[in-house]
């Protein structure tokens, strides 16, 4: 009885008729489950077979490689009797690794080991030719002895030489046994899964049967009444149309939205009930529709329609739902309008102020506003703003800087025009009140414009009908005006004013930033120009040309100089201070002044740069102390300098550099090279490394080119490429400095350099030998008179007899000093330069003379003072060994000559008392 009850309960789970919906669902689901189970089983068997085969590959490879690389394998194969060692070891490996065979054989294929000892010494039957490449080789082959087998053959290497091979095989029947051993488990799992699926499907079918047939007549009636009440109470119209185009159902909301009468409309054709023809055609078509908008009076109705069928094949009719979207459309339009305004403000914040150019900033404002907010935009700025000055309203002049519109033939004043804003105009009212002025309709009066009346009429006739003038205010100061004009769009309204003010405020900040940059840039340029040399000196030994171009991004710290030195020598200087702005320009001026001061001491290039490095380090310390006290100036670290001294007598140029690019040398035949100049770290780094000096002998009429890195390096070109391009540009024979500067700037200068560019080109010359006179000074005071006579004779040859008296006095005093206080060897040299006569006395004593004022009772002490009085310039410079005392007398025609001076007047300058 108990078994019978259980059987009845189980039968109740399954559908009674296979033709019912529940029965069909049950059979279909059962077939799908069986198919899926069979497919999963097949996949599982295939995967298990693949993994087992892959495992056989991996295990045979591991055993083969391990045996091939095992210690002693190479020695065993190279021994006299390899089989004695390899046979027992291979059998042991075969047993432990559970493989079918392990065979070792020679490179010729002769077996050294085999599970069957009778096969040892015979030729290996497998394919091992591909293992000769030095890499393992794997394959599956059908062996007569073992059947289908996975075999791996590995070479045994002694260095790069193959001394033998090791072959390991695994029979595949073991793999099949693994797969077949798992089939009972797989079948059990399949049976359990099938039973669970059958039960679950039966439960679903039972629930479906209950949902479709569980209700009685009363329940079905109540369900229909509830459905009808909900259908007519819902705030969404529902219309059901039959296949013949007749209305089957129209709820109350659909009647209201479609404007139907209260009379009964069901079972009537949709075209006969009085609804709009386009809506009636859509409902009668039965086509699917998604939120199609239709106007019904002052309402906007969204219609969604879906066709329905009873048997799934023929068209039965359609069901349409209707929603009133009139308010939703208004809200959507407002949201889209607000979203557009926010997007426009975002675009303005991104696109306005991308450069620090005042005019370009106003152009960006116009580009953003047209045509999204205005059809035409004009921008006027006060004149001081364009000059970078603080704006004032003392004057009424404005300059139109930008005009942009949807058409180019507009009658608005073009950019560049200057005009006064008239009292009562929107511009005047906006400037005085600081608030935007709105003129919704310009056709009623012409008093709104700053233009002459005839131009105002042209603007109106052109079709411009609305104007919104907004002051550009920053920091509470009016910088100018922006006028928004409309001709094709709707007139401006009050709600547009706040948006225009916000747009103008953002643009005004960018304009003010550009104005400040213009002012700071002008100040920096002025400072830099005042610190750079206004004109280079005219030198007889050099022909000089230069170019200097400050970057538009901000004034930098590049500089150059040509400094006359004693002894017909000249200093060539090029330097660079990293950074831009006023601080970089001021630092450049300090360094340039320091170089001038150090060069007046006649220091060698390496010594001068060492002193300059110490100066920059001290400047950095001062800046750090200033920063700790609240200062904002950055340190100077990063300054570079190249200092060269050219001697036109010997043609030797001593060069030293600190972090700066080396010079270029162009010989008269047009060969351009970069001499090897040892580099030192930039100034102020405190590395403690010495600065090295290099002496170059420059051929006459050579070009010596100095430059900063801004010439050869930019964002798109590295310094190596730039140096190669500069060398190619310079390699032209017979070109002068001025032509060379022009060619270099034209070839290498980019459109917008990111750094300052300084270029200094000099053509070197030698002093003619007939303008040089030299004598050895013997250590005998009697030689002074003889040397003086020879000096006077040479002056007569040069036509400088008017300098005989002063030159003889200077020569006598300097030679006497060298004999009395100097150390041999001593020499006297006269140089007849174009600008003056140079007298030099050198000796091996490094002690410099000291100018002092002697008393009238002293026998000596007046010689150097007399030299200083008669010579225009004098000084001392040190050599590697000893010193040179030099004087220079300028060759001028005006004034009293030195030879006519009263010596007694000079002697009267001494008193008998000690100076206080």
């Amino acid at each position: 009885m108990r078994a019978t009850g259980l059987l009845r309960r189980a039968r109740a789970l399954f559908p009674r008729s296979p033709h019912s919906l529940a029965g069909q669902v049950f059979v279909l689901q059962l077939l799908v489950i069986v198919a899926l189970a069979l497919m999963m089983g097949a996949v599982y068997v295939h995967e298990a077979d693949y993994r087992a085969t892959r495992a056989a590959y991996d295990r045979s490879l591991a055993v083969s490689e391990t045996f091939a690389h095992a210690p002693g394998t190479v020695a065993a194969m190279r021994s006299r009797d390899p089989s004695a060692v390899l046979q027992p070891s291979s059998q042991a490996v075969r047993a432990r690794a559970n493989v079918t065979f392990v065979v070792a054989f020679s490179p010729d294929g002769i077996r050294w080991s085999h599970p069957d000892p009778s096969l040892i010494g015979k030729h290996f039957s497998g394919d091992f030719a591909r293992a000769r490449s030095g890499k393992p080789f794997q394959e599956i082959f059908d062996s007569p002895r073992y059947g289908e087998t996975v075999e791996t053959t590995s070479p045994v290497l002694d260095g790069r030489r193959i001394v033998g091979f090791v072959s390991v095989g695994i029979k595949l029947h073991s793999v099949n046994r693994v797969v077949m051993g798992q089939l009972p488990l797989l079948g059990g799992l399949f049976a359990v899964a099938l039973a669970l699926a059958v039960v679950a499907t039966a439960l679903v079918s039972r629930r479906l049967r209950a949902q479709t047939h569980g209700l009685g007549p009363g329940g079905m009636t109540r369900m229909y009444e509830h459905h009808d009440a909900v259908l007519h109470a819902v705030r969404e119209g529902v219309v059901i149309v039959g296949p013949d185009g007749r209305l089957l159902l129209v709820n109350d909301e659909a009647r209201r939205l479609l404007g139907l009468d209260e009379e009964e409309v069901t079972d009537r054709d949709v075209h006969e009930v009085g609804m709009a023809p386009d809506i009636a055609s859509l409902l009668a078509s039965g086509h699917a529709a998604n939120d199609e908008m239709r106007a019904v009076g002052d309402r906007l109705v969204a219609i969604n329609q879906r066709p329905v069928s009873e048997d799934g094949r023929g068209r039965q009719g359609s069901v349409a739902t209707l929603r009133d979207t009139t308010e939703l459309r208004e809200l959507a339009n407002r949201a889209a309008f607000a979203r557009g305004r926010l997007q426009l403000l975002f675009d303005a914040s991104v696109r306005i102020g991308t450069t620090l150019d005042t005019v370009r900033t106003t152009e960006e404002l116009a580009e953003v506003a047209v045509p999204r907010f205005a059809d035409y935009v004009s921008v006027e700025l006060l004149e001081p703003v364009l000059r970078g000055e603080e704006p004032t309203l003392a004057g009424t002049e404005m300059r139109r800087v930008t005009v942009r519109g949807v058409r180019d033939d507009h009658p608005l004043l073009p950019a560049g025009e200057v005009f006064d804003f008239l009292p009562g105009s929107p511009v005047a009212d906006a400037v005085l009140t600081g608030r935007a002025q709105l003129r919704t309709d310009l056709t009623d009066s012409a008093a709104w414009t700053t233009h002459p009346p005839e131009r105002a009429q042209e603007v109106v006739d052109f079709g411009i009908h609305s104007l919104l003038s907004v002051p550009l205010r920053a920091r509470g100061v009016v910088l100018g005006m922006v006028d928004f004009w409309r001709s094709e769009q709707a007139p401006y309204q009050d709600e547009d004013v706040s948006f225009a003010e916000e747009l103008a405020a953002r643009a005004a900040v960018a304009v003010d930033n550009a104005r400040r940059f213009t002012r700071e840039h002008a100040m920096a340029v002025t400072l830099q120009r005042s610190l750079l040399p206004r004109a280079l000196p005219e030198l007889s030994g050099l022909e000089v040309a230069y170019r200097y171009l400050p970057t538009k991004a901000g004034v930098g710290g590049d500089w150059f100089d040509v400094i006359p030195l004693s002894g017909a020598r000249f200093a060539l200087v090029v330097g660079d201070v990293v950074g831009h702005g006023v601080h970089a320009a001021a630092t450049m001026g300090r360094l340039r002044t320091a170089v001038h001061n150090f060069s007046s001491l006649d220091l060698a290039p390496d010594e001068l740069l060492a002193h300059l490095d110490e100066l920059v380090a001290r400047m950095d310390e001062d800046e750090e102390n200033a920063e700790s006290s609240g200062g904002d100036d950055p340190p100077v670290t990063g300054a570079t300098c190249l200092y060269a001294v050219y001697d036109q007598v010997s043609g030797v140029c001593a060069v030293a550099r600190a972090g700066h690019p080396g010079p270029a040398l162009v010989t008269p035949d047009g060969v351009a090279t970069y001499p090897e100049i040892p580099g030192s770290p930039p100034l102020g780094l405190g590395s403690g490394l010495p600065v090295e000096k290099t002496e170059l002998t420059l051929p006459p009429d050579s070009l010596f080119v100095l430059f900063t890195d801004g010439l050869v390096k930019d964002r798109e070109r590295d310094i190596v490429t730039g140096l190669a391009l500069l060398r190619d540009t310079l390699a032209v024979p017979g070109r002068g400095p001025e032509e060379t500067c022009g060619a270099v700037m034209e070839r290498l200068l980019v459109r917008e350099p990111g750094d300052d560019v300084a270029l200094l080109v000099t053509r070197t010359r030698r002093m003619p030998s007939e303008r040089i006179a030299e004598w050895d000074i013997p250590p005998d005071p009697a030689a002074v008179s003889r040397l003086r006579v020879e000096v006077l004779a040479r002056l007569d040859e040069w036509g400088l007899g008017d300098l005989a008296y002063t030159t003889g006095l200077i020569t006598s005093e300097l030679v006497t000093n060298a004999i009395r206080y100097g150390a041999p060897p001593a020499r006297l040299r006269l140089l007849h330069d174009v600008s003056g006569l140079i007298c030099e006395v050198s000796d091996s004593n490094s002690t410099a003379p000291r100018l002092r004022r002697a008393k009238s009772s002293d026998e000596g002490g007046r010689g150097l003072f007399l030299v200083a009085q008669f010579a225009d310039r004098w000084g001392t410079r040190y050599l590697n060994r000893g010193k040179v005392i030099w004087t220079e007398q300028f060759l001028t025609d005006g004034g009293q000559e030195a030879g006519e001076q009263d010596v007694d007047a000079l002697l009267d300058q001494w008193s008998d008392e000690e100076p206080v």
Side-chain angles (χ1 to χ4, degrees):
M1 294 293 294
R2 192 171 185 179
T4 304
L6 293 175
L7 182 59
R8 289 178 179 177
R9 292 181 182 179
R11 292 180 61 186
L13 294 175
F14 299 94
R16 298 178 181 179
S17 174
H19 300 287
S20 64
L21 177 62
Q24 292 177 358
V25 169
F26 175 80
V27 173
L28 179 61
Q29 289 183 348
L30 189 61
L31 292 176
V32 170
I33 292 171
V34 172
L36 289 177
L38 292 176
M39 291 172 61
M40 290 177 62
V43 170
Y44 178 83
V45 171
H46 179 270
E47 180 67 17
D49 180 72
Y50 172 80
R51 290 185 179 180
T53 305
R54 186 70 263 173
Y57 269 94
D58 294 340
R59 186 149 57 93
S60 65
L61 176 63
V63 174
S64 177
E65 284 290 279
T66 302
F67 191 91
H69 294 86
T73 301
V74 174
M77 289 185 176
R78 296 178 65 90
S79 63
R80 294 183 176 181
D81 188 6
S83 298
V85 179
L86 297 176
Q87 175 65 10
S89 60
S90 62
Q91 294 307 308
V93 169
R94 183 177 66 85
R96 292 176 182 175
N98 193 22
V99 297
T100 304
F101 61 85
V102 176
V103 178
F105 55 96
S106 68
D108 298 332
I110 303 302
R111 295 188 181 97
W112 287 328
S113 67
H114 195 276
D116 186 1
S118 62
L119 297 179
I120 295 175
K122 296 183 179 180
H123 197 276
F124 182 76
S125 60
D127 182 12
F128 61 94
R130 280 177 282 184
R132 293 184 181 277
S133 62
K135 296 182 179 180
F137 167 70
Q138 292 185 301
E139 65 175 348
I140 297 179
F141 72 103
D142 192 6
S143 172
R145 179 184 296 270
Y146 304 108
E148 194 173 14
T149 305
V150 174
E151 181 185 30
T152 300
T153 303
S154 298
V156 180
L157 302 175
D158 184 10
R160 295 186 177 181
R161 181 181 177 187
I162 298 177
V163 297
F165 297 90
V166 176
S167 178
V168 176
I170 299 177
K171 292 188 295 185
L172 287 180
H173 72 83
S174 57
V175 175
N176 297 329
R177 285 201 301 269
V178 171
V179 175
M180 297 302 296
Q182 294 177 351
L183 287 179
L185 177 60
L186 180 62
L189 293 176
F190 173 78
V192 172
L194 183 61
L196 293 176
V198 169
V199 174
T201 303
L203 293 175
V204 171
S205 300
R206 180 181 180 184
R207 184 173 182 83
L208 179 62
R209 186 174 66 251
Q211 290 178 347
T212 55
H213 299 287
L215 288 177
M220 294 294 292
T221 301
R222 286 193 300 272
M223 178 179 293
Y224 175 77
E225 292 175 352
H226 295 164
H227 168 266
D228 187 65
V230 172
L231 183 63
H232 289 283
V234 71
R235 298 296 297 174
E236 186 168 350
V238 179
V239 177
I240 301 178
V241 181
D244 54 355
R246 294 182 175 274
L247 293 173
L248 301 181
L249 175 66
V250 180
N251 69 345
D252 296 341
E253 181 66 13
R255 287 174 177 270
R256 185 183 70 84
L257 294 177
L258 295 176
L260 301 180
D261 297 334
E262 295 295 331
E263 63 182 21
E264 185 63 34
V265 295
T266 56
D267 203 24
R268 296 177 57 184
D269 191 273
V270 294
H271 296 283
E272 299 175 355
V273 296
M275 66 176 66
D278 56 339
I279 298 179
S281 300
L282 176 62
L283 296 177
S285 66
H287 298 158
N290 293 316
D291 285 337
E292 291 198 15
M293 299 297 177
R294 294 291 187 273
V296 181
D298 58 350
R299 295 189 184 92
L300 187 67
V301 179
I303 302 176
N304 289 274
Q305 181 171 268
R306 293 291 180 272
V308 295
S309 58
E310 182 178 9
D311 55 2
R313 291 187 297 271
R315 186 172 68 86
Q316 184 67 22
S318 62
V319 175
T321 59
L322 299 86
R323 288 180 291 108
D324 189 354
T325 60
T326 305
E327 296 181 358
L328 182 61
R329 180 183 62 175
E330 294 179 358
L331 292 176
N333 291 339
R334 292 180 181 179
F337 180 78
R339 185 167 56 253
R341 289 292 172 88
L342 289 176
Q343 183 64 38
L344 182 56
L345 288 178
F346 173 77
D347 293 343
S349 63
V350 173
R351 296 175 55 185
I352 298 178
T354 58
T355 65
L356 291 175
D357 182 82
T358 306
V359 176
R360 178 55 190 160
T361 302
T362 60
E363 292 175 352
E364 291 170 344
L365 169 61
E367 291 171 359
V368 169
V370 176
R372 298 163 66 181
F373 182 69
D375 295 321
Y376 300 91
V377 172
S378 59
V379 183
E380 302 86 31
L381 295 178
L382 294 170
E383 286 290 344
V385 175
L386 295 173
R387 298 192 297 268
E389 301 172 1
E390 191 71 23
T392 61
L393 293 179
T396 59
E397 283 190 349
M398 280 192 180
R399 181 181 297 274
R400 178 157 290 176
V401 294
T402 297
V403 178
R404 185 180 180 88
V406 294
R407 292 172 56 182
D408 296 332
D409 57 344
H410 56 78
L412 299 177
L413 284 176
E417 292 287 336
V418 178
F419 56 89
D420 291 340
F421 46 86
L422 302 177
S425 66
V427 175
D429 295 341
V431 170
L432 295 177
T433 62
R435 299 185 61 83
Q437 298 297 314
L438 173 63
R439 297 294 186 271
T440 303
D441 187 6
L442 299 179
T443 60
D444 59 351
S445 173
W448 49 268
T449 183
T450 59
H451 305 297
E454 60 275 8
R455 183 173 291 275
Q457 189 61 42
E458 291 180 9
V459 171
V460 174
D461 294 342
F462 182 75
I464 297 177
H465 54 74
S466 184
L467 169 64
L468 184 54
S469 297
V470 186
L472 294 172
R473 291 168 53 91
R475 301 174 291 105
V477 179
V478 175
L479 307 176
M481 293 293 302
V482 54
D483 302 319
F484 302 101
W485 313 78
R486 281 187 177 179
S487 61
E488 301 178 4
Q489 304 182 45
Y492 288 111
Q493 302 299 327
D494 293 337
E495 58 267 19
D496 296 319
V497 174
S498 59
F499 174 79
E501 290 178 337
E502 177 66 22
L503 185 61
R506 300 194 180 195
V509 173
V511 170
D512 191 52
N513 290 337
R515 179 195 65 81
R516 293 187 179 207
F517 172 78
T518 302
R519 180 186 61 185
E520 294 178 0
H521 184 74
M523 293 173 56
V525 169
T526 302
L527 174 62
Q528 187 183 44
R529 288 177 178 174
S530 65
L531 295 175
L532 287 171
R534 298 180 181 273
L536 296 180
E538 295 183 2
L539 306 172
S540 60
L542 292 176
E543 181 183 350
V544 182
Y546 64 91
R547 294 289 188 275
Y548 184 84
L549 181 65
T551 177
K552 293 183 179 180
V555 175
D558 293 13
W559 88 91
F560 61 93
D561 252 320
V562 178
I563 306 172
L565 301 178
S566 64
R569 298 176 306 123
F570 314 100
L572 306 174
V573 190
V574 173
D576 185 8
V577 176
V578 176
H580 297 89
V582 177
H583 179 73
T587 303
M588 176 269 291
R590 297 170 68 181
L591 295 182
R592 180 171 178 260
T593 302
V595 170
H596 273 266
N597 293 335
F598 289 143
S599 64
S600 65
L601 301 177
D602 269 324
L603 297 176
D606 51 343
E607 296 179 6
L608 185 141
L609 291 183
H611 287 292
L612 197 63
D613 180 68
E614 295 178 1
L615 174 64
V616 174
R618 288 197 299 271
M619 292 169 63
D620 284 343
E621 292 178 1
D622 294 341
E623 299 293 352
E624 291 177 359
N625 295 334
E627 288 181 4
S628 61
S629 303
D632 298 328
D633 291 339
V636 190
T637 302
T640 64
C641 184
L642 184 146
Y643 188 84
V645 176
Y646 174 68
D647 188 348
Q648 64 170 318
V649 176
S650 62
V652 174
C653 183
V655 187
R657 63 189 182 100
H660 201 85
L665 177 62
V666 185
T667 57
D669 56 356
V671 178
T673 59
Y674 293 105
E676 188 67 28
I677 308 297
S680 299
L683 301 174
L685 293 184
S687 60
L689 298 176
V691 180
E692 298 185 39
K693 177 183 67 174
T694 301
E695 292 187 351
L696 307 172
T697 300
L698 306 183
D701 293 329
S702 298
L703 294 182
F704 198 57
V705 183
L706 282 67
F707 53 90
T708 57
D709 58 356
L711 178 68
V712 295
K713 182 177 67 174
D714 57 45
R715 299 182 185 90
E716 300 178 357
R717 181 178 62 202
D718 58 25
I719 191 169
V720 176
T721 304
L723 289 174
L725 185 60
L726 175 61
R727 183 181 60 238
D728 296 340
T729 306
L730 294 174
V732 177
R735 197 160 56 185
E738 189 65 33
E739 297 174 350
T740 300
C741 283
V744 169
M745 298 299 285
E746 181 180 358
R747 182 79 181 276
L748 275 79
L749 192 63
V750 297
R751 178 174 297 179
E752 295 184 0
D755 195 3
D756 289 7
V757 175
L759 174 65
L760 181 64
V761 180
T762 61
R763 194 205 310 259
T764 61
R765 293 173 180 164
R766 295 280 184 89
M767 182 176 289
S769 59
E770 60 269 14
R771 288 178 174 264
I772 305 172
E774 294 185 280
W775 297 272
D776 291 329
I777 302 176
D780 182 7
V784 176
S785 59
R786 178 180 59 83
L787 291 175
R788 183 170 59 249
V789 172
E790 295 182 8
V791 167
L792 296 179
R794 182 56 62 95
L795 292 180
D796 289 336
E797 295 178 8
W798 290 343
L800 302 178
D802 53 347
L803 297 179
Y805 180 79
T806 55
T807 305
L809 179 60
I810 291 172
T811 303
S812 299
E813 293 297 337
L814 294 182
V815 171
T816 302
N817 254 355
I819 295 174
R820 181 176 299 178
Y821 304 109
R827 289 183 64 82
L828 168 64
R829 184 171 73 168
L830 288 182
L831 303 176
H832 181 198
D833 199 4
V834 175
S835 59
L837 178 64
I838 301 170
C839 178
E840 296 181 344
V841 175
S842 61
D843 64 83
S844 299
N845 191 345
S846 298
T847 303
R850 182 172 59 89
L851 180 64
R852 65 187 183 91
R853 185 183 294 273
K855 296 184 293 184
S856 59
S857 59
D858 292 342
E859 294 184 0
R862 298 179 179 86
L864 194 57
F865 182 82
L866 292 174
V867 170
Q869 291 296 319
F870 284 114
D872 293 297
R873 296 172 59 222
W874 76 281
T876 304
R877 71 174 182 269
Y878 292 94
L879 306 174
N880 294 333
R881 182 179 179 183
K883 65 180 181 298
V884 175
I885 303 176
W886 59 271
T887 65
E888 184 174 356
Q889 302 173 76
F890 298 147
L891 302 181
T892 58
D893 297 332
Q896 183 183 16
E897 297 298 340
E900 301 174 359
Q901 293 185 11
D902 189 356
V903 179
D904 292 335
L906 294 176
L907 297 178
D908 288 343
Q909 298 182 32
W910 282 274
S911 64
D912 293 335
E913 299 179 356
E914 290 285 347
V916 179

